[in-house]
Amino acid sequence: MAAQRNVFVHAQALCESERVGAGTRIWAFAHVMKDAVLGADCNIGDHAFVESGARLGDRVTVKNGVQIYDKVVVEDDVFLGPGMVFTNDRVPRSGPFKNPPDRFLATHVKRGASIGAHATLVCGIVVREGALVGAGSVVTRDVPAHAVVAGNPARRIGWICACGGRLAADLACACGRRYRLVDPQAGLAPL
């Protein structure tokens, strides 16, 4: 499937979804399930998995080995680093105690955020605009806009500009952008 509108699917990939945007590339051994939604100009790396019910915006980079499950929403211009994983069930069980999909919790990664290699995002959280999650971090709560978080559990260790530069104490970047603190939970907004 997904042979429409300049979509590239490697011969060794499996794309069951017909909802794949123009210019998207799906590489070897990746699996995109039926009813997953991928925007335009996405790049889905080797061995990535995109489950039914997951939604990706435009220009999303999904590096090798990323796992994206049902009820995950990823907005435009997001970077998902190698081997990072989303969860969708806070109390996973098998057999008679297994939670049905309607009990899974949604996770939302907003525009321009970046998630580092091998990070884990526990379900039910929001990673706000322009945030950066450090490699190997375990994110258990919402991440403010333009925050840099790292660790297990992940905690804010700084602020970052849309360009990727670390922000100074006055929330100014060397690129010329300036920000203001909306509040500690919401994070920063551009001036």
Side-chain angles (χ1 to χ4, degrees), residues 33-162:
M33 292 182 72
K34 183 179 195 250
D35 298 325
V37 178
L38 280 62
D41 299 314
C42 293
N43 188 45
I44 311 299
D46 291 1
H47 298 279
F49 175 71
V50 185
E51 188 172 45
S52 295
R55 295 189 340 237
L56 278 62
D58 296 338
R59 299 170 304 280
V60 174
T61 298
V62 178
K63 298 307 277 183
N64 297 353
V66 172
Q67 309 295 302
I68 306 170
Y69 296 107
D70 183 18
K71 297 200 177 179
V72 172
V73 175
V74 177
E75 291 185 2
D76 298 345
D77 305 311
V78 167
F79 176 88
L80 302 176
M84 69 82 43
V85 66
F86 292 93
T87 68
N88 62 6
D89 190 346
R90 280 200 182 255
V91 187
R93 294 286 185 254
S94 191
F97 300 105
K98 182 178 179 181
N99 281 326
D102 65 335
R103 302 241 348 243
F104 293 166
L105 298 175
T107 298
H108 195 135
V109 180
K110 296 208 171 211
R111 176 185 295 268
S114 292
I115 313 298
H118 296 284
T120 298
L121 274 62
V122 175
C123 58
I125 65 167
V126 176
V127 177
R128 290 190 173 81
E129 294 84 355
L132 173 65
V133 174
S137 297
V138 177
V139 182
T140 60
R141 59 183 172 202
D142 291 354
V143 177
H146 296 282
V148 178
V149 299
N152 181 3
R155 302 212 188 291
R156 189 179 66 76
I157 60 170
W159 299 106
I160 193 164
C161 180

Side-chain angles (χ1 to χ4, degrees), residues 166-184:
R166 291 292 289 257
L167 297 178
D170 65 355
L171 302 179
C173 182
C175 77
R177 289 179 181 88
R178 299 182 61 81
Y179 295 84
R180 67 178 173 80
L181 180 63
V182 176
D183 70 55

